[in-house]
Amino acid sequence: MDALHHLLAGFAAALSVKYLLFALVGCVLGTLIGVLPGLGPAAGTAILIPLTFSLDATGAIIMLSAIYYGAMYGGTITSVLINVPGEAASVVTCIDGHQMARQGRAGSALGIAAIGSFVGGTLATVALVVVAMPLASLALKFGPAEFFALMVAGLCLVVGLAGNNMMAALLMTVIGLLLALVGVDPVRGAPRFTFGVEELYDGIGFIPVVMGLFGVAELLLAAEKRQIHMVEAELKSWMPTAAECKQSVGAIGRGTVVGFVLGLIPGVGAIVPTFMAYVLEKRVSKTPERFGKGAIEGVASAETANNAYANAAMVPLLALGIPSSPTIAVLMGAFIINGITPGPFLFQEQPALVWTVIASFFVGNVLLLILNLPLVGLWAKLLKIPFSYMCAGVLIFCVIGAYGLKQSLFDVWVMLGFGILGYLLRKLDFPIAPAILALILGPMMEKSLRTTLEISGGSFAIFLDRPVALTLLAVPVIVVGFLLFKPRSLAPLRESDVE
Amino acid sequence: MRRRTLLIGAASLPALVNESGPASAQDAFPSRPIQMIVPFPPGGVADISARPVAHVMGKLLKQSVVVQNKPGAGGSVGAALAARAAPDGYTILMALSSISVLPVADRLQGRPAAYELDQFAPIALITADPTVLVVSADGPYKTLKDFVEAAKAKPDKINYGSSGVYGTLHVAMEIFAAAADIKLFHIPYQGGGPAVAALLGGQIDALASGPSAAIGQIKGGKMRALAVWGDKRLASLPDVPSMKELGYDATFYIWSGLFAPAATPAPVMTALRDAAKRTVEDPEFKEAMAKVETPIAYLDAPAFAAFVAADAKRLATAVERIGKVPEK
């Protein structure tokens, strides 16, 4: 019960006015970072480190963690309102979130995102306290072969759920994977498809692509219709209704589990848990055809998984000293500079400090909820601004975001180019999400596949020797095959659409 | 009006990061955040050194120094990015010993080098440590003798991870394998951090690691250190023998140092060198490095340049001994 004692002491410290204030400032700044496209959690947290120079160790870490959580939430706001994800983990939220906004349910979407984030984040923190050490070691058994299989499973499920558009979804996935090949080969270092263009050496950035395909394309479609407002429907409510909350309970529970489990595995990143949770939700739903047309469970599952992931990703850091993502590495740097060495000894050597930080995770999640729920109405009201102004504002916002990423005008052209492409694809009824997921997952898939083949000496038979990888690979293949050849028995599924 | 304020407010944050345009003459360097490229994923020696340097340097310069992980091809992807960056001091590189190896290796593989060493101007050496040979604490190898005997009994069966083909940790292990006359199976990862995770997860049998990336795991009982590449024992691991004293002529130091693109103007270089010097002297930095048990090995630009040149020569021989690595 030593842990409980330390945790309570931690709460006493984290709830002091001073630390509450730091957490609050962190949440606000983090939300702002999340709202800005092009400034993701990793860069945003790093830039704000100087703000913590004058703080003591606990205060600095509380504030940086709050920035991190805030950023994970902030991306949701632009996803829902203007179909522009503020960071990678919010891509999936666009799919149903923006549809909800178009139906006048922006308040519900943002509200359920805040609630889901809170529940996911809090439950993941509880799990962190209880099972951090054993699970962290277990997650390391997840090698490159399993990692690759997980990615393949994810992409197959996305394609498999595309219903009537399955061929189109498959095509879009392949296009996304091809785009992901552009740039320098991650293992050998040879440039590929760069055509001597300097900017392409670093690959095609997914942020400009996403802003183009989602955001700019959306503006073009709306402009064509001569809309008066960004969202034509009346604002219905600012809060999710009781019925909507009830619909989302299962999604929030499943999202928490998916986000937490995947967060334990180093290197997975924030986007995989969000779309895995989304796909799972669509699979278990009795009415999968609602997905992509404003299903609140879609928003709830992705947003919950996102925050559960963010908290679970702390487990490998605290328990093993392994930073599993660049954002977590920023936090690790802050830990070290403040005299804390994450790793197996952390809990024994500095229990007071660790438990205060863990307690502050709880506090941070509560603050995010308190901060965001009252603001939901304000955000939703933005949609009532006349379209002619709003459109220009969003476009400026996108251009600054694309440019700001690397101060590169090239990225702005990429965004505009993909904006036009996105417009055409939407007109032709091609789903866009599979291409984006493939573009983001492509480099990770390639690295894990090539490491797997290095281990096996080039033989694909290694997948047959690894039961977890084999299962992960087999399930989606069977599901997709089933959908292709037994169309009638699964008719309701096929009517639905990922995009 | 509220919306306009909001948009302008939102616009100013990326602007804060990325104010473009050449700084006018009266602007003191740095007038905007500096990005420090780490050509590896988080968790390896370069990343572990870079974070405290960035933190303290940012404090001293009163500008954020933002660490950017740009992994790939043993560090060559990030190094090439830094080599091509605008030489204005706002992009610097935290590189490892491998910076001199990778161009040599590229030519050995028969392709144009991703960058050349002379595209960089050295700023300062930050750390230099002999690498340490680690295996899983649950594994069968208790001593270096066990390890060598097992490797002799089944050549090419014991596998080891590295920071990438011809990366620092690959070269270190091959220097030892040559000295002990054994053959090991090489599995390249994206950097030292993922390789440490792979050893902990049982994906690989052994690893040559920078001490800072492994010391927590060794002291926490998850990994066993068999020997260090170096002439003498490490202060932080006094019980671990050196390869020299066990009779193997294998020496390898993994060092981390800061570089800027070669054409960076002299006043900016002076400012960066001064900032690096003040950083390593800062008590906060010293304390952070002590936490990861990494001794600071500071050298200013001229001495560092000579050090790099000598090291490059020595490593080139080692790389030629490894020879061409077949593509799988």
Side-chain angles (χ1 to χ4, degrees):
Chain A
M1 280 297 92
D2 212 25
L4 190 66
H5 172 75
H6 282 306
L7 184 61
L8 288 176
F11 267 112
L15 287 172
S16 67
V17 176
K18 186 171 83 170
Y19 290 145
L20 273 177
L21 198 68
F22 292 158
L24 183 69
V25 172
C27 285
V28 174
L29 288 172
T31 306
L32 193 59
I33 287 172
V35 166
L36 292 168
L39 196 59
T45 317
I47 286 160
L48 293 177
I49 281 184
L51 286 175
T52 66
F53 282 161
S54 54
L55 310 182
D56 60 68
T58 315
I61 288 160
I62 286 177
M63 189 154 146
L64 285 173
S65 312
I67 292 172
Y68 171 47
Y69 296 139
M72 296 302 265
Y73 180 78
T76 311
I77 297 167
T78 47
S79 297
V80 171
L81 297 183
I82 55 176
N83 211 14
V84 174
E87 30 92 33
S90 306
V91 169
V92 179
T93 309
C94 286
I95 301 172
D96 277 289
H98 187 64
Q99 287 304 316
M100 286 182 71
R102 298 187 71 93
Q103 296 158 8
R105 293 158 67 209
S108 295
L110 290 171
I112 205 73
I115 295 166
S117 296
F118 168 72
V119 175
T122 308
L123 290 181
T125 310
V126 173
L128 187 161
V129 171
V130 182
V131 293
M133 294 300 268
L135 276 186
S137 307
L138 196 66
L140 288 177
K141 303 270 179 228
F142 209 84
E146 287 78 17
F147 206 89
F148 174 72
L150 176 73
M151 307 276 170
V152 174
L155 284 184
C156 286
L157 288 172
V158 168
V159 172
L161 286 175
N164 293 330
N165 266 338
M166 199 150 96
M167 277 305 152
L170 192 59
L171 186 69
M172 295 305 291
T173 307
V174 173
I175 290 174
L177 288 175
L178 288 175
L179 288 173
L181 288 178
V182 176
V184 175
D185 172 337
V187 179
R188 295 289 168 149
R192 296 184 303 211
F193 308 111
T194 50
F195 306 102
V197 179
E198 197 118 302
E199 286 87 348
L200 286 178
Y201 276 69
D202 204 14
I204 297 179
F206 78 87
I207 297 258
V209 173
V210 169
M211 284 197 293
L213 286 180
F214 278 136
V216 177
E218 185 73 37
L219 291 181
L220 292 174
L221 283 170
E224 183 186 49
K225 283 188 216 146
R226 295 175 184 270
Q227 258 173 239
I228 296 172
H229 294 295
M230 189 73 189
V231 167
E232 287 166 290
E234 276 301 303
L235 282 180
K236 281 180 193 131
S237 73
W238 291 3
M239 280 297 135
T241 61
E244 284 175 326
C245 285
K246 215 173 143 214
Q247 270 179 317
S248 306
V249 171
I252 288 174
R254 284 180 285 271
T256 304
V257 175
V258 171
F260 183 77
V261 171
L262 292 178
L264 296 175
I265 303 167
V268 165
I271 189 160
V272 179
T274 55
F275 87 81
M276 284 291 197
Y278 181 84
V279 168
L280 174 71
E281 212 43 54
K282 195 169 169 183
R283 291 289 306 166
V284 301
S285 172
K286 288 193 189 73
T287 51
E289 65 279 1
R290 286 173 36 253
F291 281 73
K293 300 187 182 103
I296 194 159
E297 307 98 291
V299 178
S301 63
E303 283 300 315
T304 309
N306 179 3
N307 269 48
Y309 161 83
N311 285 270
M314 290 288 192
V315 172
L317 177 67
L318 294 177
L320 302 173
I322 294 175
S324 54
S325 74
T327 321
I328 297 284
V330 174
L331 292 177
M332 182 178 179
F335 275 54
I336 291 175
I337 207 83
N338 284 297
I340 307 163
T341 322
F345 280 143
L346 182 60
F347 284 83
Q348 292 155 31
E349 278 179 358
Q350 286 161 311
L353 212 144
V354 182
W355 288 108
T356 305
V357 171
I358 290 177
S360 78
F361 294 172
F362 282 108
V363 175
N365 279 303
V366 176
L367 280 178
L368 265 181
L369 186 71
I370 298 173
L371 190 72
N372 282 302
L373 278 183
L375 285 179
V376 162
L378 179 75
W379 291 117
K381 258 194 203 150
L382 282 177
L383 293 173
K384 294 276 90 180
I385 295 163
F387 180 74
S388 46
Y389 299 130
M390 186 74 177
C391 178
V394 172
L395 203 57
I396 291 170
F397 183 75
C398 286
V399 169
I400 291 172
Y403 179 79
L405 200 60
K406 284 187 277 185
Q407 300 119 281
S408 150
L409 213 51
F410 182 80
D411 280 345
V412 177
W413 292 115
V414 168
M415 181 193 72
L416 294 175
F418 276 91
I420 294 166
L421 181 69
Y423 168 78
L424 295 174
L425 290 171
R426 291 277 292 271
K427 284 262 159 196
L428 297 169
D429 215 15
F430 275 82
I432 287 169
I436 289 169
L437 291 175
L439 175 65
I440 296 172
L441 296 184
M444 289 201 251
M445 276 175 80
E446 183 185 1
K447 279 176 217 161
S448 49
L449 176 62
R450 293 181 65 175
T451 308
T452 309
L453 293 179
E454 292 277 0
I455 292 173
S456 72
S459 161
F460 281 89
I462 186 171
F463 288 104
L464 300 175
D465 297 337
R466 315 220 20 159
V468 176
L470 189 63
T471 316
L472 280 169
L473 280 176
V475 170
V477 172
I478 294 167
V479 169
V480 171
F482 197 59
L483 285 167
L484 270 177
F485 299 109
K486 290 248 175 162
R488 226 165 292 155
S489 60
L490 282 159
L493 249 181
R494 287 176 53 95
E495 276 163 27
S496 53
D497 190 346
V498 164
E499 176 46 26
Chain B
M1 273 325 282
R2 182 186 282 147
R3 172 187 52 100
R4 189 169 301 163
T5 334
L6 187 88
L7 281 173
I8 291 168
S12 64
L13 198 55
L16 183 101
V17 195
N18 294 310
E19 263 171 51
S20 63
S24 55
Q26 65 267 37
D27 272 2
F29 174 85
S31 59
R32 58 187 164 95
I34 296 172
Q35 68 160 345
M36 183 187 288
I37 294 183
V38 170
F40 302 97
V45 170
D47 194 67
I48 291 174
S49 304
R51 305 264 164 205
V53 171
H55 189 102
V56 173
M57 205 184 231
K59 186 180 70 176
L60 296 173
L61 291 173
K62 299 191 171 48
Q63 276 295 345
S64 302
V65 178
V66 179
V67 174
Q68 299 261 26
N69 298 95
K70 295 281 181 193
S76 139
V77 171
L81 270 176
R84 287 192 302 266
D88 53 10
Y90 290 101
T91 305
I92 55 178
L93 174 73
M94 175 63 86
L96 299 181
S97 329
S98 50
I99 189 170
S100 71
V101 170
L102 297 168
V104 180
D106 272 341
R107 276 188 287 275
L108 195 67
Q109 298 284 72
R111 58 170 178 243
Y115 65 89
E116 292 294 346
L117 194 54
D118 62 15
Q119 284 178 279
F120 293 105
I123 298 172
L125 178 70
I126 306 293
T127 67
D129 257 348
T131 40
V132 51
L133 176 61
V134 284
V135 293
S136 170
D138 320 322
Y141 317 116
K142 305 267 188 275
T143 63
L144 191 65
K145 195 162 152 270
D146 294 348
F147 185 79
V148 171
E149 276 170 9
K152 287 218 162 131
K154 28 178 196 170
D156 262 337
K157 285 287 177 243
I158 298 182
N159 62 29
Y160 71 97
S162 81
S163 48
V165 182
Y166 300 111
T168 317
L169 307 181
H170 179 202
V171 174
M173 195 62 115
E174 288 302 331
I175 287 178
F176 166 64
D181 193 26
I182 52 174
K183 280 202 176 310
L184 303 167
F185 190 82
H186 173 223
I187 300 171
Y189 284 80
Q190 295 283 306
V196 165
L199 182 61
L200 286 177
Q203 319 283 343
I204 50 173
D205 301 320
L207 176 67
S209 177
S212 56
I215 203 111
Q217 310 296 344
I218 296 169
K219 299 213 158 163
K222 305 258 178 201
M223 288 182 185
R224 184 180 298 128
L226 299 183
V228 291
W229 277 255
D231 303 327
K232 51 182 196 294
R233 297 184 176 205
L234 273 172
S236 52
L237 294 170
D239 300 331
V240 179
S242 76
M243 288 185 174
K244 267 272 168 62
E245 68 184 85
L246 293 174
Y248 300 105
D249 183 24
T251 322
F252 188 87
Y253 281 77
I254 182 166
W255 52 258
S256 62
L258 289 174
F259 292 84
T264 307
V268 174
M269 279 308 286
T270 312
L272 286 170
R273 279 168 58 185
D274 177 61
K277 184 168 191 302
R278 287 194 293 145
T279 300
V280 294
E281 286 166 355
D282 191 275
E284 199 182 1
F285 180 74
K286 286 183 180 166
E287 199 185 315
M289 294 311 274
K291 275 280 160 198
V292 288
E293 307 213 35
T294 301
I296 299 163
Y298 169 75
L299 285 179
D300 190 19
F304 181 35
F307 175 88
V308 175
D311 199 53
K313 215 178 216 171
R314 212 174 58 81
L315 291 180
T317 339
V319 169
E320 269 146 31
R321 209 163 48 206
I322 297 175
K324 199 170 158 153
V325 176
E327 309 253 350
K328 280 184 194 125

